[in-house]
Amino acid sequence: MLLRPFTHADHAALHSWQSRPDVVRYLYGGARTPEETTESLALKTSVTWPAKEGEHLALAVEHDGRVIGETVLKYLSEEHRQGEIGYIFHPDHHGRGYATEASRAMLRLGFDNLGLHRIVASCDAFNEPSWRVMERLGMRREAHFRHAEIFKGAWGEEFVYALLEDEWRTSAR
C-alpha cells in the first residue's frame, strides 16, 4: 500500500467511489457528479501539507498500482494542537485493513510531524466498520451524540473517538 498526493489523473478512481450512494450514505452530501468530483479533486491537490489550522491533507491510497481510497489529516487547531483523521475507500476494498493501515500513517504524521497533542475521528454511529477502524487504532470513544441533527431526513447519531499523543507514544503502534 502506498499513500501519495492526489493528482489530476486520479479523477476516474476518485469518482468511482464519490459517485456511489452506498459510499456517501454516512457522509454529508450525496453522490457526486463528474464535475463535483473535479472540484473535490482540485481541493485535494491544492494542499500538500496542512501548514495552518483549517487546512487538510488528503492522500490517495494506492494498492497494486490502483487508487482504492483516500485518507485525510485535518489541522483543527494550532493553539491547542488538535487534528482529525478520516478515510473513505471503494467498497471493493473494504474489510482488508487498508483503512486501519492508512489511518495509522496519518496518526504518525499528525503526532510525529505536525506536533499534534490530540487527534479525533468521528462517524455515524450506525457505521460499524468505521468505528471498528477507530478502535483498532487504539482510539477511545469519547462521545455518542444521539439525535444531534437531522441527517438525510432522519435523526442522526455520531460517535467521536480520540487519541492523545502520550497514548500514541506508549501504544504498540
Side-chain angles (χ1 to χ4, degrees), residues 34-52:
E35 296 77 23
E36 290 168 330
T37 298
T38 298
E39 293 171 17
S40 173
L41 186 56
L43 289 173
K44 292 177 189 317
T45 60
S46 69
V47 176
T48 57
W49 182 251
K52 59 184 179 182

Side-chain angles (χ1 to χ4, degrees), residues 2-14:
L2 171 71
L3 299 182
R4 62 163 177 79
F6 275 95
T7 69
H8 295 291
D10 296 322
H11 186 276
L14 183 62

Side-chain angles (χ1 to χ4, degrees), residues 2-166:
L2 171 71
L3 299 182
R4 62 163 177 79
F6 275 95
T7 69
H8 295 291
D10 296 322
H11 186 276
L14 183 62
H15 191 65
S16 75
W17 66 81
Q18 286 193 346
S19 63
R20 294 178 60 131
D22 58 332
V23 172
V24 300
R25 174 181 176 199
Y26 297 116
L27 303 174
Y28 291 105
R32 292 191 170 154
T33 65
E35 296 77 23
E36 290 168 330
T37 298
T38 298
E39 293 171 17
S40 173
L41 186 56
L43 289 173
K44 292 177 189 317
T45 60
S46 69
V47 176
T48 57
W49 182 251
K52 59 184 179 182
E53 67 181 57
E55 291 185 338
H56 68 275
L57 173 66
L59 296 177
V61 180
E62 190 176 296
H63 184 264
D64 290 337
R66 293 182 52 214
V67 176
I68 62 169
E70 64 184 285
T71 186
V72 176
L73 173 62
K74 298 177 184 176
Y75 196 176
L76 298 178
S77 171
E78 184 175 1
E79 178 183 2
H80 303 292
R81 297 174 43 215
Q82 307 284 307
E84 181 177 6
I85 59 167
Y87 38 85
I88 304 170
F89 284 80
H90 191 286
D92 290 351
H93 304 281
H94 286 179
R96 297 182 186 160
Y98 299 132
T100 303
E101 187 178 345
S103 296
R104 189 169 283 120
M106 295 310 257
L107 288 170
R108 188 176 305 108
L109 284 174
F111 290 126
D112 294 348
N113 298 94
L114 200 53
L116 297 178
H117 172 71
R118 182 173 191 269
I119 297 177
V120 299
S122 64
C123 69
D124 187 293
F126 300 106
N127 188 352
E128 183 175 349
S130 187
W131 57 259
R132 292 276 185 213
V133 167
M134 296 171 204
E135 290 178 353
R136 278 193 294 280
L137 291 167
M139 300 181 91
R140 153 188 79 270
R141 186 181 299 171
E142 291 191 333
H144 178 184
F145 296 109
R146 299 188 66 216
H147 294 210
E149 63 185 351
I150 302 288
F151 180 74
K152 298 191 177 180
W155 283 109
E157 300 193 16
E158 178 183 24
F159 285 154
V160 176
Y161 282 76
L163 186 65
L164 299 176
E165 179 184 19
D166 63 338

